[in-house]
Amino acid sequence: MNSRMKQLTYALAPIFGAGVALTVATTPVYAQQAQKIEKIEVTGSNIKRVEGEGPSAIVVLTREDIDKSGATNAYELLNLVAANNSAGNVSIANTIGALTFSANTASLRGLQGGRTLVLLNGKRLNNFSGEIQGVQGVNLTTIPFNAIERVEVLLDGASAIYGSDAIAGVINFIVRKDYRGAEVTAYYAAPTRGGPGPDGSQTTFKAALGFGDLAKDRYNVFVAAAYDKQDPLEQRARNFSNTSVNLTTGLIGISGNTFPGHISTGGLGSPGFPNCEPSTYFPDLGERCFYDPSRQVGVQMIPDLKTFNIFGAATFQFTNNMQGYLTGNYSKQENNFVIQPVPISDQFTYGPNGEFVSRITLQPTSPFYPHALAAEHGIDGTPLNVRYRSVLTGNRDTTDTNEQYQIVGGIKGTFGNWDYDTAFTHNEGTTEQKLNGGFPLYSLALPLLNSGTVNLFGPNTPEIEAAMRNTNFVGKVFDGKAKSNIWDGKISGEIFSMPAGRAALAVGGQAMSEDFTQTPAPVLASGDLSGFGGNVLSVDKSRDSYAGFAELNVPLLKTLEGNVAVRYDHYSDFGSTTNPKYSLRWQPTRDLLVRTSYGTGFLAPSLYQLWTPNIQGVSATGLSDPVRCPVTNNTGIDCATQFGVVFGGNPNLQPEKSKQWSAGIVFEPAQGWSISLDWFDLYLKESITNGISPATILQDLTSYAQYGNLVTRAAPDADNPNLPGRIVSIDQRYINLGGVKIQGIDANVQFSAPPTPVGRFRVTMSGTYYIKYDVQQTDGSYAGFISTQLGSPVTGISPRWKSYQSVSWDNGPWSVVLGNSYQSSYTDQQTDLDNNERTVSSMSLWDAQVTWKGLRNLSLTLGAKNLLDTNPPLTNQQNSFQVGFDPSYYDPRGRVLYVTATWKFK
C-alpha cells in the first residue's frame, strides 16, 4: 500500500472503528437469537436481504437472458435495457470522424457515461484513461463478458451507497461463483447483404475453466477468456449510407474541398468539370464538383476491431465463517479505423493557437496552371486559391489500443450475526493512439503543394506521389494512463428487535487515490498535424478521497419497511459532500408491493475537467463587443472580429448535484404474472459543461451581464476613458452551469406460463416512457429534449418510449426466442430544405434464435439479428461521419446470421 493510501486508511479508521465497536458490543445479544436465513447482496444496498423486490427498481439480466439476447459484449447487451439511451453514450461507431479513443460507455437516462456508475462484482472500475470532452466514465470493453453470471441495473440514484457517479443509476456486472467444469465456445456472424469491401463479419472464441468445490475442497479457481474479431464495413456498402446527399430529408454532408482541386478565385471551379471523379457532380446543388466521403473506397462505418479479455478468480474458504478472494481482470482492445483524406485549404487553420491559414496558391508559372480556363474568366496570370482534398497522402488510418486491468483481494465472512467484507482494489488503464498514414504535416505538405510541382487536378508522377506520402506523420501521437487504488470495508447485521422484526445496520468506509496522465506527442502540441483540429497538451494530476457511510433498515410494521442511508465523501481537490437516501417498502399482501425513495447524489469533477491545460484560441469570425462597438465602430478590434478564447480545465469546478425521487408498484395479478410500474423524477444541477459560446456571452453583456465574469478586458484606453477596455479573452473552460429535469416511468411485465404438453412459454417486456426531459438554457429557461435531436451537437436520442420485448418457448432440448427492440419517432437534427422540422420514423427490429441441446455437453444455436433486414430510419444528422442514419442505435450490417457452438466438459 502506498503512503497516500496509508494516510487515507488511517484517516478513515475512526469511522470504520466505530462500526466495529458497535459490532462487538451487540454481537452477544443476538448470537443466541440468530436464525439461519439465506440472505444475498443486492445492488444498491450495503445490507444483505432475503431475495425479492427491494425499495428501488432493479433490472436483472441472468446468464440465460444474456445468451438468449444474442449480445456478444456489454455495450450490445445494455442497448437492450430501455433505461439506457443512445443519447449520451459513446460507441465504437463514434470513432469514425470523432476523437473518442475508441471508448464504449453506457448512458442511463441519457446522462452520459460519467453519471452512470459501472461496477464489476460490486467493485469500482477505472474511469477511461483516454477521457476527453464528451467521453467520460468506464470503458465497457473491459467487462469480462464471458465470465458474467448476471447483470443488475439499478434504475435509481445511489450516491448514498456508492458515492460519485451514481446519479443516473448503477450497472453491476457479477461474475460466476463456485463454477466447476470447463467449456469452449465458437461464434461466427455475417450479414446477409453483400457489397464492396469487407463484409463486417464477426468471429469469437471463448473458454472457461473452474475447479475446486468450496464446500468440500474449501477452494475454487475460475478462469474465463475470450477473443473477438470484428471485420470492418465500408459506408459505400449500404444503400442508406453510400451518399452524403439526400435532398428529401435535407441531408447535404458533402465538402467543397475536392479532388480534382476546386479553384475559388474568380469562380473557376475544377478545370475538368463536369468530370469530377473521384469527387461528384450533383446537378441540384450547383455547377461544380463536391467531395462525397460516403462514396469513397476504404471509408469505413464499422472499424476493424480486435478484443481480448481474460478473467481469473480464486476463492478460499479459510473457516466456516471466513472466506478470502482474489480476482484479476485484463482486457485489450485494438481498433483500426479508416476515414477519408484530409482537406487542405484556406478554410482551415493550424499552429499552436490556430493562427496560420493552410492556404494553397497556384502560381501562373506552374505547368498545371489552367491558363485557358482562367482566360475565359478574365483572370489569366492571377495566382489562384485552390481548395484541395489530399488524396495523394491517402485515407486517414488510425489505431487505438486500450488496455485495462483490475486486481482485487479481500476477506469476507461472518462474526456472530454480523457480515463483514473488506478488500483492496487496484485499477490501471492505458490508452494509445497511433497514426498509420493519411495525416500530413502542414509544415511539410504546404510548401510542396504551393511549389507548383503537384498536379492538384489530375495524375502525378511516382516521384511526386512518394514526396506527398512522405509528408505524412506516422507514429504514436497519444498516451493516456489512469490508476486508482481503493480500500473499502463494511460490516452489516441486525442490531435490535422491534415488534415487526429486527432492525439491521451497515457501516463502512472507503479510501481511494487516483492518478491521471495524458501525454500527447509534441506534434499535437505544435498544431502542425492536419486532421486533428488543433493542439492537445499534457495532463499529469492525482487526488485522494475518503468516505464513510451507514445504512439502517427498520421494520416499521409487519408490512412496512423503512431504509435510511447516508454517505460522507471528502476529495482533496474540491472538498466534501454528504448525500442521504430514504426509502419505504410496503407489502400489504404477497402479491402487492408499493415502494418509494428520495435521495441526493453527486458527480465529482474528473481530473481531466479540473486540470487539462488551458489552450489559447480564437472565436468564430464576425463577433462584436456590444458595449464598445456601437461607440468606437472599430472593425477588427471591437466590431466584426475574432476575440481570443481560453479552453481547458478549471480547478474551481464543484461537483454536480442531483435530487431523485421514485415511487412504484409491483403486483402479480395472476399466477405466473409480475408487473411493475416505477415513476422516477431526477433533477441535476450545477452540471459541468465545456463553456458557453462566445456569441451567447457577448449577447448577455447588454442585458443582465450574467456571464460578464467570463470576459477579460484590457485597461481602458485613452481615446475612450469612459468605456471598459477592449476584450482580451473569453473564458471557454469547463464550468458548473445549468440543470436537467427528467421524469418518466419504467415498466416491466413478465409472464411465465404453466408447463404444457408442447412446452413452456415465457413473455417479457421492459420499457421506459419519458414524461419530461428538460435541459436548462443559457438564459435560465428550460427546453424539452424528449424525442428531439433538433440542433443537437451529438448523435443519439432520448425517445419518448423505448422497450425490449421477447417471447420464448422451451421444450426438451429445444429453445426458441423471438425478441423485438422498439423506439419511438423523434424530430430530426436539422430542418429539411424548406426549413420545416422533419420526423425520423420509429424503429422496430426483430431478432430470433433457436438453440438445440440434444447431444450431451453440446449446445448449438442459430440466430438472426434484425431478422427482417429492416433499414434504419432515415435522418439528416451530421454529427457523425456516418450519415443517412444514426450509428448510435442502429447496426449498419442489417440482418446478421450467427451460429454458436458450445461444448461443456464435465
Side-chain angles (χ1 to χ4, degrees), residues 92-93 95-97 198 232-235 293 296-304 335-341 394-400 436-439 881-882:
I92 286 295
T95 63
I96 306 298
L233 183 69
E234 295 183 10
Q235 295 190 36
Q296 306 306 312
V297 176
V299 175
Q300 298 172 346
M301 58 181 167
I302 293 180
D304 188 346
N335 183 33
N336 175 245
F337 52 98
V338 179
I339 60 175
Q340 62 270 22
N395 284 337
R396 282 171 276 184
D397 188 321
T398 308
T399 299
D400 288 340
N436 308 310
F439 292 86
F881 275 23
Q882 305 103 308

Short mmCIF file of all heavy atoms in Angstrom, two decimals, residues 92-93 95-97 198 232-235 293 296-304 335-341 394-400 436-439 881-882:
data_model
loop_
_atom_site.label_atom_id
_atom_site.label_comp_id
_atom_site.label_asym_id
_atom_site.label_seq_id
_atom_site.Cartn_x
_atom_site.Cartn_y
_atom_site.Cartn_z
N ILE A 92 -18.16 2.40 -30.44
CA ILE A 92 -17.08 2.24 -31.40
C ILE A 92 -17.39 3.00 -32.69
O ILE A 92 -16.49 3.55 -33.34
CB ILE A 92 -16.85 0.74 -31.69
CG1 ILE A 92 -16.15 0.07 -30.50
CG2 ILE A 92 -16.01 0.55 -32.94
CD1 ILE A 92 -14.75 0.58 -30.24
N ALA A 93 -18.67 3.06 -33.06
CA ALA A 93 -19.04 3.79 -34.28
C ALA A 93 -18.66 5.25 -34.20
O ALA A 93 -18.39 5.89 -35.22
CB ALA A 93 -20.55 3.65 -34.52
N THR A 95 -15.98 6.51 -33.28
CA THR A 95 -14.58 6.76 -33.64
C THR A 95 -14.45 7.21 -35.09
O THR A 95 -13.44 7.81 -35.46
CB THR A 95 -13.72 5.49 -33.45
OG1 THR A 95 -14.18 4.46 -34.34
CG2 THR A 95 -13.78 5.00 -32.02
N ILE A 96 -15.47 6.91 -35.91
CA ILE A 96 -15.42 7.30 -37.31
C ILE A 96 -15.69 8.80 -37.41
O ILE A 96 -16.83 9.25 -37.45
CB ILE A 96 -16.43 6.51 -38.15
CG1 ILE A 96 -16.24 5.00 -37.95
CG2 ILE A 96 -16.32 6.88 -39.62
CD1 ILE A 96 -14.90 4.47 -38.39
N GLY A 97 -14.61 9.59 -37.38
CA GLY A 97 -14.75 11.02 -37.55
C GLY A 97 -14.78 11.82 -36.27
O GLY A 97 -15.01 13.03 -36.31
N PRO A 198 -14.79 -5.30 -47.25
CA PRO A 198 -15.03 -6.30 -46.20
C PRO A 198 -16.50 -6.34 -45.81
O PRO A 198 -17.22 -5.34 -45.93
CB PRO A 198 -14.15 -5.83 -45.03
CG PRO A 198 -13.15 -4.91 -45.65
CD PRO A 198 -13.82 -4.28 -46.82
N PRO A 232 -14.26 -4.91 -40.66
CA PRO A 232 -14.84 -3.61 -40.99
C PRO A 232 -15.93 -3.70 -42.04
O PRO A 232 -16.09 -4.71 -42.73
CB PRO A 232 -13.63 -2.82 -41.50
CG PRO A 232 -12.70 -3.86 -42.03
CD PRO A 232 -12.88 -5.06 -41.17
N LEU A 233 -16.66 -2.61 -42.16
CA LEU A 233 -17.69 -2.45 -43.19
C LEU A 233 -17.60 -1.02 -43.71
O LEU A 233 -17.53 -0.07 -42.94
CB LEU A 233 -19.08 -2.71 -42.60
CG LEU A 233 -20.25 -2.65 -43.60
CD1 LEU A 233 -20.20 -3.84 -44.57
CD2 LEU A 233 -21.58 -2.64 -42.86
N GLU A 234 -17.59 -0.88 -45.05
CA GLU A 234 -17.43 0.44 -45.64
C GLU A 234 -18.79 1.11 -45.86
O GLU A 234 -19.81 0.44 -46.05
CB GLU A 234 -16.68 0.34 -46.96
CG GLU A 234 -15.24 -0.15 -46.79
CD GLU A 234 -14.47 -0.19 -48.09
OE1 GLU A 234 -14.98 0.34 -49.12
OE2 GLU A 234 -13.35 -0.74 -48.11
N GLN A 235 -18.78 2.44 -45.86
CA GLN A 235 -20.02 3.19 -46.00
C GLN A 235 -20.68 2.97 -47.36
O GLN A 235 -21.90 2.98 -47.48
CB GLN A 235 -19.76 4.68 -45.76
CG GLN A 235 -19.30 4.98 -44.34
CD GLN A 235 -19.26 6.46 -44.03
OE1 GLN A 235 -20.10 7.22 -44.50
NE2 GLN A 235 -18.29 6.87 -43.23
N PRO A 293 -17.64 11.85 -49.09
CA PRO A 293 -16.82 10.81 -48.44
C PRO A 293 -17.52 9.46 -48.39
O PRO A 293 -16.84 8.42 -48.38
CB PRO A 293 -16.58 11.37 -47.04
CG PRO A 293 -17.63 12.41 -46.84
CD PRO A 293 -17.92 12.97 -48.18
N GLN A 296 -16.51 6.91 -51.14
CA GLN A 296 -15.10 6.64 -51.39
C GLN A 296 -14.69 5.23 -50.94
O GLN A 296 -15.19 4.70 -49.94
CB GLN A 296 -14.23 7.67 -50.69
CG GLN A 296 -14.58 9.11 -51.03
CD GLN A 296 -14.60 9.37 -52.53
OE1 GLN A 296 -13.67 8.99 -53.24
NE2 GLN A 296 -15.66 10.03 -53.01
N VAL A 297 -13.74 4.67 -51.68
CA VAL A 297 -13.21 3.34 -51.36
C VAL A 297 -12.43 3.41 -50.05
O VAL A 297 -11.60 4.30 -49.85
CB VAL A 297 -12.30 2.83 -52.49
CG1 VAL A 297 -11.66 1.49 -52.11
CG2 VAL A 297 -13.09 2.71 -53.79
N GLY A 298 -12.72 2.45 -49.16
CA GLY A 298 -11.96 2.33 -47.92
C GLY A 298 -12.50 3.10 -46.75
O GLY A 298 -12.03 2.91 -45.61
N VAL A 299 -13.47 4.01 -46.96
CA VAL A 299 -14.01 4.81 -45.87
C VAL A 299 -15.01 3.95 -45.09
O VAL A 299 -16.01 3.48 -45.63
CB VAL A 299 -14.68 6.09 -46.40
CG1 VAL A 299 -15.35 6.86 -45.28
CG2 VAL A 299 -13.64 6.96 -47.10
N GLN A 300 -14.75 3.77 -43.82
CA GLN A 300 -15.49 2.79 -43.01
C GLN A 300 -16.64 3.41 -42.23
O GLN A 300 -16.65 4.61 -41.95
CB GLN A 300 -14.53 2.11 -42.02
CG GLN A 300 -13.41 1.33 -42.66
CD GLN A 300 -12.39 0.85 -41.64
OE1 GLN A 300 -12.36 1.30 -40.50
NE2 GLN A 300 -11.53 -0.07 -42.05
N MET A 301 -17.61 2.55 -41.86
CA MET A 301 -18.59 2.91 -40.84
C MET A 301 -18.56 1.92 -39.68
O MET A 301 -19.06 2.22 -38.60
CB MET A 301 -20.00 3.01 -41.43
CG MET A 301 -20.54 1.79 -42.11
SD MET A 301 -22.20 2.18 -42.73
CE MET A 301 -22.49 0.79 -43.81
N ILE A 302 -17.98 0.74 -39.88
CA ILE A 302 -17.63 -0.16 -38.79
C ILE A 302 -16.13 -0.41 -38.90
O ILE A 302 -15.64 -0.79 -39.97
CB ILE A 302 -18.40 -1.50 -38.88
CG1 ILE A 302 -19.89 -1.27 -38.65
CG2 ILE A 302 -17.86 -2.49 -37.86
CD1 ILE A 302 -20.71 -2.55 -38.73
N PRO A 303 -15.38 -0.17 -37.84
CA PRO A 303 -13.92 -0.32 -37.93
C PRO A 303 -13.48 -1.78 -37.78
O PRO A 303 -14.29 -2.68 -37.52
CB PRO A 303 -13.42 0.52 -36.76
CG PRO A 303 -14.54 0.45 -35.77
CD PRO A 303 -15.81 0.37 -36.56
N ASP A 304 -12.19 -1.99 -37.92
CA ASP A 304 -11.57 -3.30 -37.74
C ASP A 304 -11.18 -3.42 -36.27
O ASP A 304 -10.24 -2.77 -35.81
CB ASP A 304 -10.34 -3.39 -38.64
CG ASP A 304 -9.74 -4.79 -38.67
OD1 ASP A 304 -10.10 -5.62 -37.82
OD2 ASP A 304 -8.89 -5.05 -39.53
N ASN A 335 -8.34 -1.12 -32.08
CA ASN A 335 -9.32 -0.65 -33.04
C ASN A 335 -8.62 0.12 -34.16
O ASN A 335 -8.02 1.16 -33.92
CB ASN A 335 -10.34 0.24 -32.34
CG ASN A 335 -11.43 0.70 -33.28
OD1 ASN A 335 -11.82 -0.01 -34.20
ND2 ASN A 335 -11.94 1.91 -33.07
N ASN A 336 -8.71 -0.41 -35.37
CA ASN A 336 -8.13 0.24 -36.54
C ASN A 336 -9.27 0.80 -37.39
O ASN A 336 -10.17 0.06 -37.80
CB ASN A 336 -7.29 -0.74 -37.35
CG ASN A 336 -6.77 -0.14 -38.64
OD1 ASN A 336 -7.13 -0.58 -39.73
ND2 ASN A 336 -5.92 0.87 -38.54
N PHE A 337 -9.24 2.12 -37.65
CA PHE A 337 -10.34 2.72 -38.41
C PHE A 337 -9.79 3.67 -39.47
O PHE A 337 -8.73 4.28 -39.30
CB PHE A 337 -11.32 3.45 -37.48
CG PHE A 337 -10.69 4.43 -36.53
CD1 PHE A 337 -10.66 5.78 -36.80
CD2 PHE A 337 -10.14 3.99 -35.33
CE1 PHE A 337 -10.09 6.68 -35.93
CE2 PHE A 337 -9.57 4.88 -34.44
CZ PHE A 337 -9.54 6.24 -34.73
N VAL A 338 -10.54 3.76 -40.57
CA VAL A 338 -10.09 4.48 -41.76
C VAL A 338 -11.20 5.42 -42.21
O VAL A 338 -12.36 5.02 -42.35
CB VAL A 338 -9.73 3.50 -42.90
CG1 VAL A 338 -9.31 4.27 -44.14
CG2 VAL A 338 -8.65 2.54 -42.46
N ILE A 339 -10.83 6.70 -42.44
CA ILE A 339 -11.77 7.67 -42.98
C ILE A 339 -11.11 8.39 -44.16
O ILE A 339 -9.97 8.10 -44.53
CB ILE A 339 -12.22 8.69 -41.91
CG1 ILE A 339 -11.03 9.47 -41.36
CG2 ILE A 339 -12.96 7.98 -40.79
CD1 ILE A 339 -11.42 10.57 -40.39
N GLN A 340 -11.81 9.33 -44.76
CA GLN A 340 -11.39 9.98 -45.99
C GLN A 340 -10.13 10.83 -45.79
O GLN A 340 -9.80 11.21 -44.67
CB GLN A 340 -12.52 10.86 -46.53
CG GLN A 340 -12.94 11.99 -45.61
CD GLN A 340 -14.06 11.59 -44.66
OE1 GLN A 340 -14.26 10.42 -44.37
NE2 GLN A 340 -14.79 12.59 -44.17
N PRO A 341 -9.43 11.16 -46.90
CA PRO A 341 -8.24 12.02 -46.79
C PRO A 341 -8.57 13.38 -46.20
O PRO A 341 -9.72 13.84 -46.24
CB PRO A 341 -7.77 12.14 -48.24
CG PRO A 341 -8.36 10.97 -48.95
CD PRO A 341 -9.68 10.72 -48.28
N GLY A 394 -3.37 9.83 -48.96
CA GLY A 394 -4.14 8.64 -48.64
C GLY A 394 -5.21 8.85 -47.58
O GLY A 394 -5.32 9.92 -46.96
N ASN A 395 -6.04 7.82 -47.41
CA ASN A 395 -7.06 7.84 -46.36
C ASN A 395 -6.40 7.95 -44.99
O ASN A 395 -5.30 7.44 -44.76
CB ASN A 395 -7.91 6.57 -46.41
CG ASN A 395 -8.92 6.58 -47.54
OD1 ASN A 395 -9.29 7.64 -48.04
ND2 ASN A 395 -9.36 5.40 -47.95
N ARG A 396 -7.10 8.59 -44.07
CA ARG A 396 -6.61 8.68 -42.69
C ARG A 396 -6.79 7.33 -42.00
O ARG A 396 -7.91 6.83 -41.89
CB ARG A 396 -7.35 9.78 -41.94
CG ARG A 396 -6.87 11.18 -42.26
CD ARG A 396 -7.76 12.24 -41.67
NE ARG A 396 -8.90 12.53 -42.52
CZ ARG A 396 -9.81 13.47 -42.27
NH1 ARG A 396 -9.70 14.20 -41.16
NH2 ARG A 396 -10.81 13.68 -43.10
N ASP A 397 -5.69 6.77 -41.53
CA ASP A 397 -5.66 5.42 -40.96
C ASP A 397 -5.12 5.52 -39.53
O ASP A 397 -3.99 5.96 -39.32
CB ASP A 397 -4.76 4.53 -41.83
CG ASP A 397 -4.81 3.07 -41.43
OD1 ASP A 397 -4.84 2.78 -40.22
OD2 ASP A 397 -4.78 2.21 -42.33
N THR A 398 -5.93 5.10 -38.56
CA THR A 398 -5.60 5.27 -37.14
C THR A 398 -5.83 3.96 -36.38
O THR A 398 -6.76 3.21 -36.69
CB THR A 398 -6.48 6.37 -36.51
OG1 THR A 398 -6.39 7.55 -37.30
CG2 THR A 398 -6.04 6.67 -35.09
N THR A 399 -5.00 3.71 -35.38
CA THR A 399 -5.19 2.57 -34.49
C THR A 399 -5.21 3.04 -33.04
O THR A 399 -4.26 3.69 -32.59
CB THR A 399 -4.08 1.52 -34.66
OG1 THR A 399 -4.10 1.03 -36.00
CG2 THR A 399 -4.29 0.35 -33.71
N ASP A 400 -6.29 2.74 -32.35
CA ASP A 400 -6.39 2.98 -30.91
C ASP A 400 -6.20 1.65 -30.18
O ASP A 400 -6.79 0.63 -30.56
CB ASP A 400 -7.77 3.53 -30.53
CG ASP A 400 -7.98 4.96 -30.98
OD1 ASP A 400 -6.98 5.65 -31.23
OD2 ASP A 400 -9.15 5.38 -31.06
N ASN A 436 -1.27 5.69 -38.73
CA ASN A 436 -0.61 4.80 -39.68
C ASN A 436 -0.41 5.43 -41.05
O ASN A 436 0.35 4.90 -41.87
CB ASN A 436 -1.43 3.51 -39.84
CG ASN A 436 -1.73 2.87 -38.51
OD1 ASN A 436 -0.83 2.67 -37.69
ND2 ASN A 436 -3.00 2.54 -38.26
N GLY A 437 -1.08 6.53 -41.31
CA GLY A 437 -0.96 7.20 -42.61
C GLY A 437 -2.13 8.12 -42.84
O GLY A 437 -3.17 8.02 -42.21
N GLY A 438 -1.95 9.07 -43.77
CA GLY A 438 -3.03 9.96 -44.15
C GLY A 438 -3.12 11.25 -43.35
O GLY A 438 -4.07 12.01 -43.53
N PHE A 439 -2.13 11.52 -42.49
CA PHE A 439 -2.12 12.74 -41.69
C PHE A 439 -0.86 13.54 -42.01
O PHE A 439 0.15 13.44 -41.30
CB PHE A 439 -2.16 12.41 -40.20
CG PHE A 439 -3.45 11.80 -39.73
CD1 PHE A 439 -3.65 10.43 -39.81
CD2 PHE A 439 -4.45 12.60 -39.20
CE1 PHE A 439 -4.84 9.86 -39.36
CE2 PHE A 439 -5.65 12.04 -38.76
CZ PHE A 439 -5.85 10.67 -38.85
N PHE A 881 -19.49 11.07 -39.00
CA PHE A 881 -19.09 10.92 -40.40
C PHE A 881 -19.94 9.87 -41.11
O PHE A 881 -19.94 9.79 -42.32
CB PHE A 881 -17.61 10.55 -40.49
CG PHE A 881 -16.68 11.73 -40.47
CD1 PHE A 881 -17.08 12.93 -39.91
CD2 PHE A 881 -15.41 11.64 -41.00
CE1 PHE A 881 -16.23 14.03 -39.88
CE2 PHE A 881 -14.54 12.73 -40.98
CZ PHE A 881 -14.95 13.93 -40.41
N GLN A 882 -20.65 9.03 -40.34
CA GLN A 882 -21.62 8.12 -40.96
C GLN A 882 -22.94 8.87 -41.05
O GLN A 882 -23.53 9.21 -40.01
CB GLN A 882 -21.82 6.85 -40.13
CG GLN A 882 -20.54 6.10 -39.83
CD GLN A 882 -20.09 6.33 -38.40
OE1 GLN A 882 -19.96 7.45 -37.95
NE2 GLN A 882 -19.84 5.25 -37.67
#
